[in-house]
Amino acid sequence: MALNGKTALVTGASRGIGRAIALRLASDGARVAINFAGNLDKAREVQSIIEGNGGQAMLAQCNVADFNAVENMIKSIVDAWGSIGILVNNAGITRDNLLLRMKPDDFDAVIDTNLKGVFNCTKVASKFMIKQRSGRIVNMSSVVALNGNVGQTNYAAAKAGIIGFTKSAARELAPRGITVNAIAPGFIDTDMTAAMSDAVKQATVERIPLGRVGAPDDIANAVAFLTSDQATYITGQVLAVDGGLSM
């Protein structure tokens, strides 16, 4: 139980990759705050699984794009558990469309949640980590940030921004014993990718050297490593977990 005694906040933890991360960190011994925006039933399900396995979990509902809400959420976690040692910025949305058809509101919504949400949560959580002189922050980027993707200028811009943010924050926070890294998932089997047509899915799989779709647990395994004591000398890095797609 490598994370015994650690408190972790996972944003967007009610489903998909965030759910897998929350369950994995809990299985490694961390107390997990399950952030979600609206799906209370799914968030409660994650909490129930963690507690059913003897772990500790709490619900932390808020829109990560709202700075004041994030501030209140993280303060409530620290008040309840005394610290915050791990932050996984996973919350994200898509509003896909071709550039010429994309509405400005859809561009702004993706930037606000996917990029500004990372800023909001990191800014608040890092204040507590600085006082502790320790912390692990993992930001969820995407292979789309590295390669681009048709119909996702907003998503790619946000995820690319996360890479720059990660490297800059890593430089600023390193002197205080805090590591900041990013993971760039490839084609992962989630609700988001389930909406794609079979033809698009097949075409994507054919471009993956390992020849298969990734699972949320593949990402959770990488997060578990980067938040453990085995990764104390790794910061400012972007780890592509994509079966070789971006190679």
Side-chain angles (χ1 to χ4, degrees):
M1 306 289 278
L3 301 179
N4 270 350
K6 301 287 181 66
T7 294
L9 166 61
V10 182
T11 67
S14 64
R15 60 190 179 93
I17 290 172
R19 171 193 168 102
I21 293 169
L23 294 177
R24 174 57 192 268
L25 296 184
S27 74
D28 285 352
R31 297 170 296 203
V32 180
I34 302 159
N35 165 260
F36 65 103
N39 200 328
L40 178 59
D41 289 342
K42 288 293 185 182
R44 282 178 172 163
E45 186 178 293
V46 177
Q47 181 184 27
S48 178
I49 293 171
I50 291 173
E51 292 178 345
N53 290 328
Q56 295 184 63
M58 66 183 292
L59 300 182
Q61 183 175 17
C62 91
N63 177 1
V64 296
D66 183 336
F67 180 79
N68 290 332
V70 167
E71 199 167 34
N72 291 333
M73 172 183 67
I74 293 179
K75 185 178 183 300
S76 70
I77 295 168
V78 174
D79 286 346
W81 284 338
S83 67
I84 181 166
I86 297 168
L87 169 64
V88 182
N89 284 307
N90 168 76
I93 62 171
T94 56
R95 297 288 187 273
D96 296 351
N97 212 332
L98 295 175
L99 173 62
L100 295 181
R101 297 177 181 173
M102 185 173 292
K103 297 176 182 177
D105 286 349
D106 288 339
F107 188 90
D108 291 345
V110 170
I111 296 296
D112 283 349
T113 297
N114 297 16
L115 181 56
K116 188 183 175 187
V118 172
F119 164 78
N120 290 342
C121 293
T122 304
K123 178 179 172 65
V124 178
S126 64
K127 292 180 181 179
F128 295 98
M129 293 179 178
I130 286 170
K131 292 177 183 177
Q132 301 161 185
R133 300 194 68 84
S134 67
R136 299 280 182 271
I137 299 172
V138 179
N139 300 322
M140 212 55 60
S141 182
S142 170
V143 293
V144 171
L146 306 175
N147 299 333
N149 198 31
V150 173
Q152 289 194 312
T153 50
N154 50 3
Y155 188 78
K159 293 300 186 178
I162 287 172
I163 292 176
F165 178 91
T166 295
K167 292 179 178 293
S168 297
R171 289 184 181 275
E172 290 188 23
L173 298 175
R176 302 303 180 95
I178 302 165
T179 65
V180 189
N181 292 289
I183 292 175
F187 189 53
I188 308 298
D189 186 14
T190 64
D191 292 346
M192 201 175 286
T193 57
M196 299 168 64
S197 70
D198 290 341
V200 171
K201 290 178 186 176
Q202 182 59 36
T204 303
V205 170
E206 289 174 358
R207 293 166 47 214
I208 301 172
L210 286 181
R212 68 172 178 86
V213 175
D217 284 345
D218 292 320
I219 309 303
N221 291 338
V223 173
F225 168 67
L226 289 174
T227 56
S228 75
D229 288 342
Q230 297 175 350
T232 56
Y233 202 55
I234 300 173
T235 196
Q237 302 305 306
V238 181
L239 176 61
V241 183
D242 64 358
L245 179 62
S246 62
M247 183 166 49

